[in-house]
């Protein structure tokens, strides 16, 4: 019995302490396109695994089919698959979401933060100050979608399924502290946003 306990302890030790050192610089080289795919289609399932005990620096070839199956209609290269693993490792070891610093969003450039199909968006809202906010979204068509305002630490400040009768929707959310925030939208149909406004009350 003691030998079995020692063996299990050794396995746990190896799992915990033999993870390759993670490079934040490596994570900063992620493309915006891959980060949008990961944060809209992958992070929701994997964020519960946030733990430094697990790492996925190997096995990207084995996961290629899995990644391509769940990455919408996006054409994923082998190099981009490696970026997915970098994002996954970052999330697991840092317990944070990552989005490359690639300029501010504007209504005219929102497609940069959307999947090619426009079924999902992941928009960096920057650091929002504590307080109450109104979020206004107007779409070309009345489409059902799920909307979230989340922090880079996975905290949800707004999480709502929308079955709109109109093209314009008003949402409210509150931040109790200054927070690095993101807007995530997911839908089974294409969502084309014509107005996106965030106003602090």
């Amino acid at each position: 019995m003691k030998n079995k306990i020692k063996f299990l302890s050794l396995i746990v030790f190896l799992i915990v302490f033999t993870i390759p050192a993670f490079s934040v610089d490596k994570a900063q080289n992620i493309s915006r396109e891959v980060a949008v795919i990961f944060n809209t289609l992958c992070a929701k399932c994997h964020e519960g695994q946030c733990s430094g005990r697990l790492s996925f620096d190997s096995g990207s070839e084995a996961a290629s089919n899995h990644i391509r199956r769940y990455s919408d209609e996006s054409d994923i290269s082998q190099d981009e698959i490696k970026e997915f693993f970098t994002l996954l490792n970052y999330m697991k070891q840092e317990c944070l979401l990552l989005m490359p610093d690639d300029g501010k969003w504007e209504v005219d450039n929102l497609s940069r933060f959307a999947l090619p199909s426009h079924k999902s968006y992941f928009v960096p809202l920057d650091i929002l100050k504590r307080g109450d906010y109104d979020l206004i979204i107007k779409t070309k068509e009345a489409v059902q979608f799920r909307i979230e305002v989340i922090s880079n630490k996975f905290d949800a400040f707004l999480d709502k399924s929308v079955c709109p009768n109109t093209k314009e929707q008003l949402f409210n959310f509150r931040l109790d502290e200054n927070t690095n925030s993101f807007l995530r939208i997911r839908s089974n149909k294409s969502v084309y946003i014509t107005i996106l406004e965030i106003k602090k009350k």
Side-chain angles (χ1 to χ4, degrees), residues 15-198:
I15 291 173
V16 172
F17 294 104
T18 59
I19 297 172
F22 185 81
S23 168
V24 175
D25 290 336
K26 184 179 178 183
Q28 296 296 343
N29 293 327
I30 298 298
S31 68
R32 183 188 65 251
E33 292 82 0
V34 168
V36 169
I37 295 169
F38 182 86
N39 288 317
T40 57
L41 301 178
C42 308
K44 195 69 177 175
C45 293
H46 287 286
E47 66 189 30
Q49 301 168 358
C50 168
S51 169
R53 293 173 300 161
L54 299 172
S55 182
F56 291 89
D57 282 338
S58 61
S60 60
E61 290 185 11
S64 297
N65 289 335
H66 173 83
I67 291 170
R68 289 193 174 101
R69 182 165 60 248
Y70 287 98
S71 60
D72 199 57
E73 294 91 3
S74 304
D75 186 19
I76 307 296
S77 70
Q78 197 63 38
D79 285 339
E80 288 172 328
I81 285 174
K82 293 177 182 177
E83 292 184 39
F84 278 96
F85 275 83
T86 300
L87 281 168
L88 183 60
N89 278 323
Y90 181 88
M91 186 173 71
K92 283 179 172 292
Q93 296 180 38
E94 302 295 324
C95 289
L96 295 170
L97 290 169
L98 176 71
M99 187 69 183
D101 183 10
D102 196 19
K104 302 293 184 183
W105 65 268
E106 297 175 1
V107 173
D108 293 340
N109 72 7
L110 278 178
S111 61
R112 296 167 61 234
F113 304 101
L115 297 181
S117 64
H118 282 79
K119 292 179 181 178
S120 295
Y121 291 78
F122 195 79
V123 183
L125 302 178
D126 208 351
I127 297 178
L128 299 180
K129 295 183 178 181
R130 61 174 300 192
D132 295 304
Y133 287 84
D134 286 334
L135 170 62
I136 301 169
I137 291 183
K138 185 173 182 180
T139 58
K140 285 185 179 180
E141 299 176 353
V143 179
Q144 182 177 351
F145 58 89
R146 187 174 194 90
I147 184 168
E148 299 169 84
V149 174
I150 57 177
S151 76
N152 63 331
K153 298 178 181 178
F154 317 116
D155 300 313
F157 307 107
L158 172 66
D159 187 354
K160 189 172 183 180
S161 292
V162 183
C163 303
N165 295 320
T166 62
K167 298 175 185 177
E168 186 168 317
Q169 301 291 315
L170 172 64
F171 306 94
N172 311 109
F173 65 94
R174 178 179 178 77
L175 301 178
D176 293 326
E177 59 184 6
N178 297 354
T179 306
N180 188 7
S181 305
F182 301 94
L183 173 70
R184 179 161 57 193
I185 292 176
R186 293 177 294 158
S187 176
N188 291 326
K189 295 183 178 179
S190 298
V191 180
Y192 295 97
I193 299 172
T194 58
I195 293 176
L196 174 60
E197 294 182 19
I198 299 175

